[in-house]
Amino acid sequence: MTPRPSTTPAVPQRKLTTRRISFGYAETALARHYVSGDPVMSAVVSVLSALFPEGEDFFVRSVRAYRDRITDPELRRQVAGFIGQEAMHGREHRRFNDRLAALGYPTRAIDRTLGWGFKASERLPGRARRLAVTAALEHYTATLAETLLEDERARAILTVGEIRNLFLWHALEESEHKAVAFDVFQAVSGNDRVRRWVMNATTVGFVAVVVSWTTVSLLTDPATWRHPLRVLRSLAALRENPWVTPEVWRRLRDYNRRDFHPDDWDATELTARWREVLFGADGALAGRVATTTATA
Ligand SMILES: [Fe+2]
Ligand SMILES: [Fe+2]
């Protein structure tokens, strides 16, 4: 995927569907290293999943704080769709995180710490900066999500079918709503210097949080101490990881381009294809969606 230059300042029409769907893991005999038997990737995926519920609640609050200032009816509809989708993601990742906690991952500690940190930050002034943090992290989730949807190697890593389903559903919707927080920020602030400064600070914070909690996960895993060489091999294998590539890094850094817009990385065909694969007439998850709410 290559970026195309931004041309249209207006918010394009975008239909966002909230799909109420549940995933279950109770009867699945889940191993601690459920991601391809790989200790480091299992820890990383668990940490990311543990960050989602509080992270997405924060995104919703950051966007909702500006709802009254959004005049464009199309953007207002998209905000409603964004909130609906993120609420469902939080609910399903909480269920998955409970399962991960039973396997020994520190998902509850991550959830509590993050929730405390976000709420503490919201007692301080800086509403526009929080929205900019949300837009920056939405660029991260969209980039990671579109890598999963585009790269077969990334999907092959998620060896447990139900976990792959959870992440594919989440990835599709992250790609569908990737521009909403950004467009709200542009509509209510548009301060390019703040947007890019916040992205740099968010990158440092996000990497620090993921690396430190992954380290905690690995250090509290008895297998790390029994088979330290396996962990070292797993760390070395990150060089081959489809999410750790110069291309992914280039996409992440593209956000700092002055005229950047999330839609510059056009995912129209990608999302259409995955909507069909997952939720089309013969879609793999179509029969499991309890209800859908479309915004346009
Ligand atoms: Fe999400
Ligand atoms: Fe999102």
Side-chain angles (χ1 to χ4, degrees):
M1 209 189 255
T2 47
R4 62 163 190 223
S6 306
T7 46
T8 46
V11 175
Q13 246 199 349
R14 195 175 282 116
K15 184 174 160 184
L16 298 177
T17 304
T18 302
R19 305 171 181 91
R20 284 177 184 76
I21 183 166
S22 293
F23 299 91
Y25 317 93
E27 281 131 58
T28 318
L30 210 56
R32 168 123 187 180
H33 303 151
Y34 59 91
V35 179
S36 303
D38 183 316
V40 172
M41 275 310 285
S42 301
V44 171
V45 171
S46 301
V47 168
L48 290 175
S49 181
L51 295 174
F52 284 134
E54 282 295 342
E56 294 181 317
D57 277 2
F58 171 82
F59 297 172
V60 166
R61 293 195 299 275
S62 307
V63 170
R64 194 179 264 151
Y66 281 104
R67 208 158 42 169
D68 296 344
R69 297 234 336 244
I70 306 165
T71 49
D72 182 339
E74 174 57 31
L75 189 54
R76 287 178 74 93
R77 268 196 297 276
Q78 290 181 23
V79 165
F82 166 82
I83 292 173
Q85 289 189 332
E86 294 294 33
M88 281 297 114
H89 302 165
R91 188 188 77 168
E92 285 311 307
H93 276 278
R94 273 194 204 287
R95 286 164 65 104
F96 181 45
N97 295 343
D98 286 345
R99 195 73 186 80
L100 293 176
L103 291 176
Y105 287 103
T107 54
R108 295 200 174 111
I110 296 172
D111 189 67
R112 269 198 307 274
T113 314
L114 196 67
W116 177 86
F118 279 139
K119 288 194 180 103
S121 82
E122 283 162 285
R123 280 196 282 273
L124 303 167
R127 199 165 61 137
R129 272 199 302 277
R130 286 192 289 277
L131 183 59
V133 169
T134 297
L137 285 171
E138 281 286 278
H139 181 58
Y140 266 88
T141 53
T143 301
L144 299 178
E146 287 172 7
T147 303
L148 178 70
L149 299 177
E150 280 166 359
D151 192 332
E152 210 180 311
R153 291 176 313 143
R155 294 194 295 282
I157 288 174
L158 297 173
T159 35
V160 177
E162 190 67 342
I163 297 173
R164 193 168 56 240
N165 288 339
L166 168 73
F167 279 88
L168 283 173
W169 160 72
H170 193 166
L172 168 63
E173 296 190 353
E174 285 306 319
S175 182
E176 285 178 332
H177 73 225
K178 68 177 176 178
V180 176
F182 185 95
D183 284 339
V184 173
F185 179 79
Q186 293 300 88
V188 300
S189 161
N191 187 325
D192 210 45
R193 216 162 47 90
V194 168
R195 177 178 73 78
R196 289 183 294 151
W197 182 89
V198 165
M199 173 45 113
N200 292 337
T202 301
T203 295
V204 173
F206 180 71
V207 171
V209 165
V210 172
V211 168
S212 46
W213 280 112
T214 299
T215 307
V216 171
S217 287
L218 287 168
L219 292 178
T220 52
D221 181 352
T224 300
W225 304 100
R226 278 200 305 271
H227 310 289
L229 277 178
R230 254 187 74 200
V231 176
L232 291 177
R233 272 198 298 272
S234 169
L235 277 170
L238 285 175
R239 279 179 310 184
E240 313 291 319
N241 190 286
W243 282 283
V244 189
T245 63
E247 168 70 6
V248 168
W249 185 244
R250 190 168 72 89
R251 280 189 64 169
L252 289 170
R253 302 307 295 162
D254 191 41
Y255 189 89
N256 277 359
R257 184 162 43 88
R258 212 168 277 277
D259 60 349
F260 170 84
H261 187 276
D263 286 340
D264 296 346
W265 295 83
D266 187 7
T268 318
E269 274 174 36
L270 185 71
T271 48
R273 176 154 45 90
W274 279 99
R275 260 193 301 276
E276 193 54 33
V277 170
L278 297 177
F279 302 108
D282 299 316
L285 302 177
R288 296 175 54 180
V289 178
T291 58
T292 58
T293 315
T295 55

